Amino acid sequence: MPAVSSVLVAGAGLAGPAVATRLATGGVATDLIDIKPDGSALGSGITLQGNALRELRRLGVWEQVRAQGYSFDSLGLRAPDPFGTLLVELPDVRSGGPDLPGTVGMPRPALARIVLDQAASAGVKIRFGTSYTGLDQDASGVLVTFADGTTGRYDLVIAADGVHSATRRLLRIAVEPRPTGMGIWRAFGPRPASVTRTDLIYGGPCYIAGYCPTGEDSLYAYIVEDAQDRSALTPAQQLATMLELAAAYHGPWDDIRPGLSDPSLVNYTWFETHVVPAPWNRGRVVLIGDAAHSCPPTLAQGGAQALEDAAVLAELLLDAGEVDEDLWSGFHQRRFDRAKTVVDASNQLGQWLLDHEQGDVPGLAARVTALVSQPA
Ligand SMILES: Cc1cc2nc3c(=O)[nH]c(=O)nc-3n(C[C@H](O)[C@H](O)[C@H](O)COP(=O)(O)OP(=O)(O)OC[C@H]3O[C@@H](n4cnc5c(N)ncnc54)[C@H](O)[C@@H]3O)c2cc1C
């Protein structure tokens, strides 16, 4: 018997649909709510490392991810010179196992649709445009007051409501993300033939200029700069600013720039980070994914860590007889150090860039890759 028979999951990003799918498949009546009016995801593309692919395969969606994304097995480092000279091609470690590619790039809306469809197929009841305003718990469950005034009682509430989690505040957990000092321009556009994997250029006028193929016909490109207030720019000015910064970068960038022409596909955001100290639960309410920990995407591990939280929590809930201290200590033993190590390493990489310091990037990346190559 699973430890729970009814669960409410808040947040239909990555961790939410993943944990909901697992629980529903295991026979738990699972509701999934999201404050967004519908399931469409914003954002350009996402880089999925092997350990994220391993979790997506366990979720039963690997074939869709493979078909709708772009797989590759190496990372290029290029120089910020007039030719974008290729300095080195580093083979990816296949952290999800030898039978999965090292990396897949895909459009975020496509990934969002895949995980939501899988949740619906598993029998999860999904409601958009709703959230909760109250969580009153006793020893055996949680009485949830929804924003429209209705209530529902559940054995457990899983908050996967993202980096600015309202649940954290409801639980009076006084941890909020802090800006790391960097801002990122991202744009979605057509893939030129010269882009067949992620290449990164460190240096030049910005910290990082990179791109990732997301399909036969698409890619996302990004430029990382000092965090600035860019909020006054119109979409057309945002596009012009990104193109101006990108003009300093060459090689495949010369093929990418002409395709970046739609201002609605350009986005600017600051990097943020936080880790909620263990425990991530307060009684029968638990935080997972970005609600519990967030990192700048310098190692492209945020999504993977969110998926791993979801997998481990669902596995424990389905295997344990009850929701008790053993269950929570097992969850935190498997998740806290691993997620914190990834967050710390992602921050360290960013800090070396901010400080213009030559840190041991290959050593740090190798340590994280070795860690995440182990099943969560
Ligand atoms: C610029 C940038 C680039 C990134 N690139 C990568 C990358 O390439 N690879 C990677 O692995 N990771 C990347 N990440 C990190 C990745 O996006 C996150 O780690 C991942 O989306 C976390 O998943 P999640 O389900 O925890 O949260 P989210 O995906 O943020 O989902 C949270 C959901 O909760 C909903 N919600 C919010 N508030 C409420 C509420 N009160 N009630 C109900 N629902 C609510 C939101 O609408 C949303 O749907 C990047 C992050 C940033 C900022």
Side-chain angles (χ1 to χ4, degrees):
M1 278 286 285
V4 285
S5 53
S6 65
V7 168
L8 175 68
V9 180
L14 272 183
V19 74
T21 299
R22 296 286 183 88
L23 291 174
T25 306
V28 177
T30 308
D31 291 351
L32 174 63
I33 59 166
D34 199 291
I35 201 163
K36 287 182 305 198
D38 57 44
S40 58
L42 294 175
S44 45
I46 186 162
T47 304
L48 297 166
Q49 307 289 4
N51 60 319
L53 303 178
R54 177 172 56 216
E55 297 308 335
L56 289 165
R57 182 170 62 184
R58 286 173 71 194
L59 210 54
V61 297
W62 163 237
E63 275 312 315
Q64 293 100 300
V65 168
R66 191 192 54 73
Q68 295 180 45
Y70 192 102
S71 304
F72 49 98
D73 269 308
S74 65
L75 170 74
L77 297 182
R78 290 179 178 272
D81 65 17
F83 314 102
T85 306
L86 182 63
L87 301 171
V88 63
E89 183 180 351
L90 303 164
D92 277 341
V93 174
R94 293 188 155 199
S95 60
D99 49 348
L100 286 168
T103 311
V104 167
M106 70 185 307
R108 270 193 192 243
L111 180 61
R113 178 46 52 206
I114 289 170
V115 294
L116 274 174
D117 284 352
Q118 190 71 350
S121 308
V124 176
K125 293 202 182 82
I126 306 174
R127 274 194 297 156
F128 286 100
T130 191
S131 186
Y132 42 62
T133 53
L135 299 170
D136 295 305
Q137 51 178 309
D138 54 38
S140 61
V142 188
L143 182 67
V144 178
T145 305
F146 294 101
D148 64 2
T150 58
T151 57
R153 191 175 162 85
Y154 298 88
D155 294 345
L156 183 75
V157 173
I158 301 175
D161 52 352
V163 63
H164 296 288
S165 167
T167 312
R168 267 199 322 260
R169 289 187 288 280
L170 269 181
L171 296 176
R172 298 185 195 287
I173 296 175
V175 178
E176 288 297 326
R178 65 166 176 89
T180 69
M182 288 174 157
I184 184 169
W185 290 100
R186 284 180 296 172
F188 198 65
R191 182 184 72 87
S194 53
V195 172
T196 54
R197 57 152 192 259
T198 287
D199 286 331
L200 299 174
I201 302 181
Y202 289 105
C206 299
Y207 293 110
I208 307 171
Y211 43 79
C212 173
T214 50
E216 277 308 311
D217 302 324
S218 67
L219 61 60
Y220 75 106
Y222 44 94
I223 303 254
V224 179
E225 62 171 11
D226 283 314
Q228 304 175 40
D229 183 359
R230 299 288 202 177
S231 58
L233 299 182
T234 64
Q237 288 169 328
Q238 290 199 345
L239 174 61
T241 306
M242 179 165 176
L243 287 175
E244 200 179 307
L245 294 171
Y249 299 101
H250 300 286
W253 270 102
D254 294 328
D255 306 326
I256 293 170
R257 271 191 310 277
L260 304 182
S261 55
D262 182 346
S264 73
L265 300 179
V266 178
N267 160 283
Y268 183 73
T269 188
W270 287 8
F271 288 171
E272 295 179 298
T273 186
H274 77 291
V275 178
V276 173
W280 293 342
N281 73 302
R282 295 292 183 273
R284 288 176 173 260
V285 182
V286 61
L287 307 171
I288 64 168
D290 272 15
H293 47 79
S294 66
C295 52
T298 43
L299 289 165
Q301 269 292 327
Q305 293 307 303
L307 290 167
E308 288 185 0
D309 285 352
V312 172
L313 181 60
E315 181 192 315
L316 292 172
L317 287 168
L318 292 174
D319 285 354
E322 48 190 308
V323 179
D324 57 14
E325 278 316 308
D326 282 353
L327 183 144
W328 294 125
S329 75
F331 178 60
H332 294 109
Q333 259 169 32
R334 283 175 62 184
R335 292 308 306 151
F336 180 78
D337 283 351
R338 180 165 166 130
K340 185 168 186 309
T341 300
V342 168
V343 171
D344 290 347
S346 305
N347 286 331
Q348 178 65 79
L349 278 177
Q351 197 58 50
W352 280 332
L353 291 169
L354 282 164
D355 295 343
H356 301 282
E357 191 183 320
Q358 182 69 50
D360 177 17
V361 177
L364 187 73
R367 280 196 297 282
V368 170
T369 306
L371 174 71
V372 301
S373 295
Q374 303 300 319

